[in-house]
Amino acid sequence: MPYASLLAQVRAMPRAARLACAAACVVLLALGAVTFWSTRDARVALFASGLRTDQLAEVESRLAAWRVPYVPSGDNVRVAPAQRADLLLRLALAGVPRPHLAGSAEALAHAGALTPQTVLEAQTRDALAADLALALRGVDGIVDARIVIAPSAGGVYADEPRRDASASVRVTLAAAARLDARTVDGIKAFVAGGVPGLDAERVTVLDDRGVVASDDAAPDANDVQAALQSALDAAFGGGATIVRVHREPLGERRELHDVRRAALDGAVARTTSDERYAAGPKRYSKTSATEDRGSATRDERRVAPPGATARLTVAVFVDAAKGIDVDKVRALAAAASGIRADRGDAVTVEAVAFAGAGTIAEPRRAAAWFAAMLAVVPQALTAFGVVGAVALGARPLASAGIRAIEAASTRRTARDVVAIPPERVRDALRGEPPHVAAAVIASLSAAAAAAVLELYDADERAAIVRRLPRANGALLPSAEEIVGGR
C-alpha cells in the first residue's frame, strides 16, 4: 500500500530528517488552523426573526449611514457579536425597522374567485389604508403612520340613519416636529381623495402626543409658552421674564351665524308717515311709506370644532430690577402669542421683584471668588514648595556636585598612578586638596604610599594621614559635611 511504503521511507530517513518533517507538518497544521480561524465568519444575526424586504432595506440604510460593517443574509443582517446589543438599542431608539404594511399588491395577491365578498371588501379596505400610510411615511417630519378606515353603512331598519364613511390617521412624528394647519389639511385631503365616498371633514388626525390635530391652527399652550419665553429670553436675557400661558378649549362643536348690512349711500332705509283729520266730515286718514335705498349684506357662517381655542390667557412676569419697559413687553407678547380681542383673550404683564434677585447676587459672586481662590491655592502651594526646595538645597547640591567631580577625578588619577614612580605621583597630586591626595595614596601599595608620603612636608603629610583611615570609605563627603558646607 502507498501508506506502508511511505511509512517505510520515513523510517529509513535519518533522525534529523524525520524531525524536520515532523516540524514541517506541525507548522503546516498550525498555519491551516490560523488561516481557518482568521477567515471564518464569526458574525451573528442581528434580529431573532427574519425581516421583510422593506424592513431589511431600512435597517441596511441605517447601518450604512452609521458606517457599521455588516453582511446581508437573506432576510436578516449579520454583525459582530460585540456590537449586536448596542445596534439593537440604537435601532430601537431610531424606530427602525418600522412595522410592515401589506399594500394592495400583497394583500390581494391570494384573492380568488371563491373569496367571499365581505372578506374581499375588508382586504381591499386594509390594503388601501396600508397604501395611504406608506405614502404618508414620506412626508417631512412624519416617521410612521397608521390609518383605519370605517366604510359607510346604511341602516338595517328604515328608521335607522345612514352612517357616512370616516377615517382615523395616527402619525408618529420625528423629534421636535409638529403638525401645522397646512400639513393637517393636506393629510385630510390626501386620505379623503384616496377613499371613495369619504369627506375630508370626517378624517381625524392624531399625533404621537395623543392630541387631535385640527385645521383651525389652534395653538397648544405649551408651544405658545415656549415660543414666547424663548423670544423674551433672546431679547432681554435669560431670567428677566417668566411666561405662563393658559388655553381654554371648546368643549363642544359651535356654529356661528353672523349677518351684517352696510348702507351704500346714507341710511339703509327711510320711513315716512302722513296722518290727517277732517273735522267737518269727521274723517281720519294715516299713510306710512318705507323706502329701502339698498345695502351690502355680509352673511358669515363659522364652525368651531370641539378642540378649538375658546380663550387664551398670557401672563408675563418681568423682573423689576432690570428696568424693562412693561408696555413694550405687553405689545410683543400679544403679537407673538396671537391674541384675539374678539375671542376674549387677555395679556397681563407686571413688573415684580423676583425672589432673591438682589440678596443672592453678592453671595453668589463671593462664592465664585472663593471657588476661584480654592482652585488656585494648590498650584500656588506647589510653586512655593518647589521654589523653597530649590533655594534651600541649591548650596548643598552644588557642594555635592563638586565633591562628585573631585571623586571622579580621584578615581581616574588612582588608576593612572598604580605603576607610576612616587615622584611622578607626587607631581600629579600637586595642588590637590588633602582628601583627594589621601584617596589616591590609599589605593597604592603600602610601600608606594609610604614613599609618596615621604615627599610631602610635615604639615601636608599630617593632613593626608588624618584622612587615610577614610580613604577606603565613600569618596563622597558625609551628609553632615554637605549640609554644613565643608
Side-chain angles (χ1 to χ4, degrees):
M1 296 180 63
Y3 297 105
S5 60
L6 180 61
L7 183 59
Q9 292 177 5
V10 171
R11 289 178 178 178
M13 294 173 61
R15 178 182 176 84
R18 291 200 303 270
L19 292 177
C21 291
C25 292
V26 172
V27 170
L28 290 176
L29 290 176
L31 290 176
V34 171
T35 303
F36 172 76
W37 184 264
S38 60
T39 57
R40 73 183 184 92
D41 187 9
R43 298 181 178 90
V44 297
L46 181 58
F47 297 95
S49 58
L51 303 178
R52 299 279 186 161
T53 304
D54 54 343
Q55 294 175 327
L56 188 61
E58 291 179 358
V59 173
E60 289 181 355
S61 62
R62 190 56 62 95
L63 293 180
W66 292 340
R67 296 185 179 180
V68 176
Y70 68 93
V71 176
S73 60
D75 58 353
N76 212 324
V77 291
R78 301 176 63 85
V79 296
Q83 295 180 333
R84 183 174 183 271
D86 181 58
L87 290 177
L88 287 176
L89 178 60
R90 294 178 64 183
L91 290 173
L93 294 177
V96 177
R98 290 176 291 187
H100 174 70
L101 298 177
S104 300
E106 183 179 352
L108 302 178
H110 303 287
L114 300 179
T115 303
Q117 184 64 26
T118 55
V119 175
L120 188 59
E121 291 178 357
Q123 291 180 351
T124 304
R125 187 168 57 252
D126 294 341
L128 180 59
D131 291 338
L132 295 173
L134 289 174
L136 289 179
R137 284 181 176 179
V139 178
D140 186 19
I142 297 179
V143 178
D144 195 7
R146 297 297 298 269
I147 299 177
V148 179
I149 300 175
S152 60
V156 178
Y157 301 99
D159 57 348
E160 187 175 353
R162 178 181 178 81
R163 185 182 61 187
D164 297 331
S166 62
S168 299
V169 183
R170 166 71 161 82
V171 294
T172 301
L173 303 178
R178 292 292 184 269
L179 292 178
D180 54 5
R182 295 182 60 184
T183 305
V184 174
D185 290 341
I187 293 175
K188 291 183 177 182
F190 177 75
V191 175
V195 179
L198 178 61
D199 190 359
E201 295 183 356
R202 299 188 61 83
V203 178
T204 304
V205 181
L206 181 70
D207 62 8
D208 52 359
R209 297 176 300 166
V211 178
V212 178
S214 177
D215 55 359
D216 67 339
D220 184 70
N222 295 328
D223 296 340
V224 175
Q225 178 176 315
L228 182 56
Q229 184 70 68
S230 63
L232 294 178
D233 290 344
F236 305 107
T241 58
I242 300 176
V243 178
R244 292 295 181 267
V245 176
H246 177 69
R247 173 178 173 267
E248 297 179 7
L250 290 177
E252 57 184 2
R253 180 185 178 93
R254 294 183 182 179
E255 295 185 3
L256 305 178
H257 186 203
D258 186 11
V259 179
R260 297 181 182 181
R261 298 180 61 191
L264 297 177
D265 185 13
V268 175
R270 186 181 66 174
T271 302
T272 59
S273 178
D274 184 14
E275 185 175 1
R276 296 179 182 182
Y277 175 74
K282 302 291 185 179
R283 292 182 179 179
Y284 173 80
S285 63
K286 182 179 182 181
T287 305
S288 298
T290 301
E291 180 183 1
D292 194 341
R293 299 183 177 180
S295 62
T297 304
R298 179 183 177 185
D299 190 348
E300 181 180 1
R301 295 179 180 271
R302 291 177 295 171
V303 177
T309 300
R311 189 168 183 266
L312 191 66
T313 305
V314 179
V316 181
F317 305 86
V318 180
D319 188 2
K322 301 291 185 179
I324 301 174
D325 191 348
V326 176
D327 295 334
K328 292 183 178 180
V329 174
R330 183 180 295 105
L332 293 175
S337 57
I339 296 299
R340 291 173 50 185
D342 59 342
R343 196 171 52 185
D345 297 348
V347 177
T348 303
V349 180
E350 294 292 341
V352 297
F354 284 9
T359 59
I360 301 180
E362 292 298 331
R364 285 182 177 176
R365 188 178 297 108
W369 279 102
F370 183 72
M373 293 299 297
L374 288 180
V376 175
V377 165
Q379 291 81 355
L381 292 178
T382 304
F384 286 135
V386 171
V387 173
V390 171
L392 294 176
R395 185 176 179 183
L397 289 175
S399 178
I402 295 173
R403 297 294 179 86
I405 295 173
E406 292 177 352
S409 176
T410 302
R411 293 191 187 93
R412 291 193 299 269
T413 305
R415 287 194 301 269
D416 296 337
V417 302
V418 172
I420 299 177
E423 292 78 6
R424 295 189 60 186
V425 174
R426 177 67 182 85
D427 294 338
L429 294 177
R430 193 175 303 278
E432 296 290 342
H435 63 277
V436 176
V440 174
I441 293 173
S443 62
L444 302 176
S445 61
V452 173
L453 288 173
E454 288 296 333
L455 298 177
Y456 282 92
D457 56 11
D459 294 337
E460 291 181 346
R461 187 186 309 115
I464 295 173
V465 170
R466 284 198 304 269
R467 289 167 174 78
L468 279 178
R470 301 186 336 184
N472 292 331
L475 295 178
L476 293 175
S478 61
E480 292 81 1
E481 294 180 354
I482 295 177
V483 176
R486 295 194 299 272

